[in-house]
Amino acid sequence: MSHSPLIEKYLTNLQDLTLNKQTSILDLACGSGRNGLYLLEHQVPVTFADIKEEALEQTLAQAKQSSGVFKGEQQKRGQYWQVDFEQEGSTPLQGKSFAGIIVFRYLHRPLFEQIKAAISSGGMIIYETFTEQQAQFGRPKNPDFLLKTGELLELFAGWEILHSFEGVIHKNNDNKIKQAVAQIVAIKP
Ligand SMILES: C[S@@+](CC[C@H](N)C(=O)[O-])C[C@H]1O[C@@H](n2cnc3c(N)ncnc32)[C@H](O)[C@@H]1O
């Protein structure tokens, strides 16, 4: 799966933010790292975080493979964090600070406030995941993993909203596979 168009659209903002703040972008629940790897290739420092060690290993291997003059630099810009964001009683993001956090296709509501707190002032959130309408197209169907209408906008009320969308998209521009998602891009006050 290729990176999200949202990451490409806001690349310059993310580059500027990490330069100004001297911190990385957290790719939270990164999976194979499709979005964070795109940033890494464009000189953005990224912290890849996932519960699955294999996913992080795969991401690291991919980062090593990418070619170009920045290859060595690129590897230095990647950090790999194996973490369970859902462990009861734990607050894995507490005390951490990122120039931005990107979350794609992952939802664990108890983490919401920690995500907001871990973004530094003026930093960026890019969040995209499935909405309740997704149940008509396929998985996930568990309401715990599906956003309610307006939920992201409500969560980031008071932030500067650069982009907001709720509706149906075509996965990887493939007309056959529809996905119901919500997206938000916002700047922390
Ligand atoms: C649907 S994948 C999305 C991956 C990536 N963000 C993307 O859009 O391609 C969900 C990811 O969440 C990770 N995940 C699930 N539960 C987790 C947990 N408790 N802590 C950290 N990561 C978790 C999975 O390992 C998986 O890589």
Side-chain angles (χ1 to χ4, degrees), residues 1 27-32 34-35 49-52 55 83-86 103-106:
M1 215 172 154
D27 187 351
L28 193 152
C30 63
S32 60
R34 65 190 172 106
N35 291 307
D50 203 282
I51 194 170
K52 283 194 198 137
V83 55
D84 181 357
F85 285 117
E86 300 176 22
V103 192
F104 282 82
R105 315 299 166 105
Y106 176 75

Side-chain angles (χ1 to χ4, degrees), residues 103 106-117 119 125 127 129 147-159 161 166 184 186 189:
V103 192
Y106 176 75
L107 181 63
H108 180 60
R109 288 185 172 87
L111 210 60
F112 277 169
E113 289 310 316
Q114 282 186 66
I115 290 175
K116 288 167 75 177
I119 298 173
I125 180 76
Y127 207 132
T129 198
L147 287 166
K148 296 181 196 313
T149 303
E151 190 170 356
L152 281 183
L153 270 177
E154 200 177 308
L155 181 65
F156 293 99
W159 292 38
I161 309 296
E166 280 184 12
I184 202 160

